[in-house]
Amino acid sequence: MKSLLEELGGTYYQKGDYFLPDLSLPETAPVGIWGQQRRHYLKTQRRPLYNALLLSGKLNDHLIAIDTQAEAMFFQLVKQLAERDGVREQLKAENQMEWVRQMNSVRNRVEEIICSKLICD
């Protein structure tokens, strides 16, 4: 006759008088800043979707996909808007503070675009 542990399956370790299951979470890639922002948005504003993704085990994959997409979009848009606004290396050489001001403006606009298109949709 099989023992109870064999019937339950899996592996166990003994702690005192108890047998506890060896539980571990699957290894996943780290979630970047955009994915963390998406998690916060889902958790605070779209709770049913957050719970559905969490319970189905797809939340981390969703966050990683959003993070990857947002990161690529960020660099592409920064480059495009900087070129369109005339923020060039020549300006950086001539007036560094003005270049920093304009690049910060570009980055802030891009962050708003990504938030409205990807994070908070």
Side-chain angles (χ1 to χ4, degrees), residues 5-74:
L5 292 178
E6 290 174 347
E7 288 181 26
L8 293 175
T11 59
Y12 296 84
Y13 67 95
Q14 188 169 2
K15 179 110 177 176
D17 292 338
Y18 301 101
F19 286 95
L20 302 173
D22 289 326
L23 300 176
S24 63
L25 294 173
E27 291 292 321
T28 59
V31 177
I33 189 72
W34 301 108
Q36 292 173 22
Q37 288 180 6
R38 176 70 173 171
R39 177 188 294 127
H40 176 75
Y41 170 76
L42 291 175
K43 204 171 190 178
T44 58
Q45 303 297 319
R46 305 275 305 272
R47 193 66 180 198
L49 177 58
Y50 173 81
N51 287 334
L53 288 169
L54 182 64
L55 294 174
S56 68
K58 297 178 182 177
L59 178 63
N60 216 39
D61 292 337
H62 172 76
L63 297 176
I64 291 169
I66 290 290
D67 188 68
T68 303
Q69 189 177 357
E71 192 75 18
M73 188 177 178
F74 177 81

Side-chain angles (χ1 to χ4, degrees), residues 2 17 20 58 71 73 78 93 98 104 113 118:
K2 287 184 172 182
D17 292 338
L20 302 173
K58 297 178 182 177
E71 192 75 18
M73 188 177 178
V78 165
E98 180 61 22
N104 283 342
I113 292 168
L118 288 177

Side-chain angles (χ1 to χ4, degrees), residues 70-114:
E71 192 75 18
M73 188 177 178
F74 177 81
F75 288 116
Q76 181 183 7
L77 286 175
V78 165
K79 183 179 178 183
Q80 289 175 354
L81 288 179
E83 286 177 8
R84 189 190 76 188
D85 292 351
V87 183
R88 309 211 189 295
E89 290 299 315
Q90 180 183 357
L91 176 61
K92 186 177 181 181
E94 294 171 358
N95 188 347
Q96 289 181 352
M97 292 305 289
E98 180 61 22
W99 180 84
V100 168
R101 185 189 68 76
Q102 289 187 20
M103 283 304 292
N104 283 342
S105 174
V106 167
R107 290 173 56 97
N108 288 339
R109 286 183 285 160
V110 169
E111 287 175 6
E112 288 178 18
I113 292 168
I114 291 174

